Amino acid sequence: MGNPLAVVEYVEEIYAYYRENENSGCISLNYMAHQFDINYQMRAILIDWLIEVHCKFKLMEETLFLTINLIDRFLECRAVVRKKLQLVGVIAILLACKYEEVSVLVVEDMVLITDEAYTKKEFLDMVTDFSLHFPRILNKI
C-alpha cells in the first residue's frame, strides 16, 4: 500500500483488463490435431529437453513457463515437421529470455546446444514466424 510504484488505485482496473483479455489468448485443447508430422509425445520430449536447457543456463521459472506457452501457441497456428520441432523450442526459449531474463541467451548458444542441427539463418528465419502478442496469465500455476 505504501509503494507509489505499485499503482494501488488502479489494481482492480488492471486485473479486470487482464481477465477480460486472458480468455482470448487461450489455446485449444486439441490444437495438436492439425499437426501431421508431430504428436503430443514428441512435444513432451521437446519440453523435457527444454527443461534441461533451462536448468543448464539457470533461467527463471517464468522463462520456462513462457517458453512452453509460446511453443503451444505456435503449434496451434502452424503445422511443423518433425525436423523443425526442436528449432521451434529453442526459438521459443530465446524469445522468452528476451521477455523475462536480465542477461539473455544468444543465437550462437542455441546453435551449439542443438549440436549445430540448425544454422543461424534458420534461426533468424523462424523468429519471424512467431507472434508475441498475447495477454499475460495472472494466476500462478
Side-chain angles (χ1 to χ4, degrees):
M1 290 294 272
N3 183 354
L5 297 177
V7 291
V8 176
E9 62 270 16
Y10 300 110
V11 167
E12 291 301 319
E13 292 174 39
I14 291 169
Y15 275 90
Y17 172 78
Y18 283 144
R19 282 190 196 100
E20 181 181 311
N21 288 308
E22 194 173 67
N23 287 336
S24 67
C26 289
I27 299 165
S28 164
L29 293 177
N30 63 347
Y31 72 91
M32 290 288 283
H34 76 277
Q35 294 292 339
F36 59 89
D37 199 30
I38 61 172
N39 57 40
Y40 286 108
Q41 186 176 3
M42 292 175 193
R43 178 195 172 275
I45 292 167
L46 173 67
I47 300 302
D48 287 344
W49 178 78
L50 285 169
I51 291 169
E52 290 177 25
V53 171
H54 172 267
C55 291
K56 177 182 170 126
F57 286 102
K58 298 180 174 118
L59 302 173
M60 297 178 357
E61 288 180 355
E62 291 84 356
T63 303
L64 179 63
F65 299 149
L66 182 55
T67 298
I68 296 168
N69 185 282
L70 288 171
I71 290 167
D72 290 339
R73 287 176 185 284
F74 188 85
L75 294 178
E76 182 179 41
C77 299
R78 304 273 172 118
V80 175
V81 293
R82 188 177 312 199
K83 184 179 176 185
K84 298 289 185 180
L85 184 60
Q86 186 182 31
L87 181 60
V88 170
V90 292
I91 294 296
I93 202 166
L94 269 173
L95 295 174
C97 282
K98 299 270 187 208
Y99 267 81
E100 301 292 346
E101 300 291 334
V102 175
S103 60
V104 298
L105 302 175
V106 293
V107 172
E108 288 78 10
D109 292 333
M110 295 295 105
V111 169
L112 291 175
I113 210 113
T114 60
D115 227 8
E116 298 184 9
Y118 309 101
T119 65
K120 188 173 179 178
K121 182 180 180 344
E122 287 178 293
F123 276 89
L124 298 174
D125 290 344
M126 179 67 80
V127 167
T128 60
D129 288 343
F130 272 80
S131 172
L132 296 179
H133 302 289
F134 54 88
R136 300 296 300 270
I137 305 298
L138 294 174
N139 301 331
K140 293 198 177 207
I141 298 175

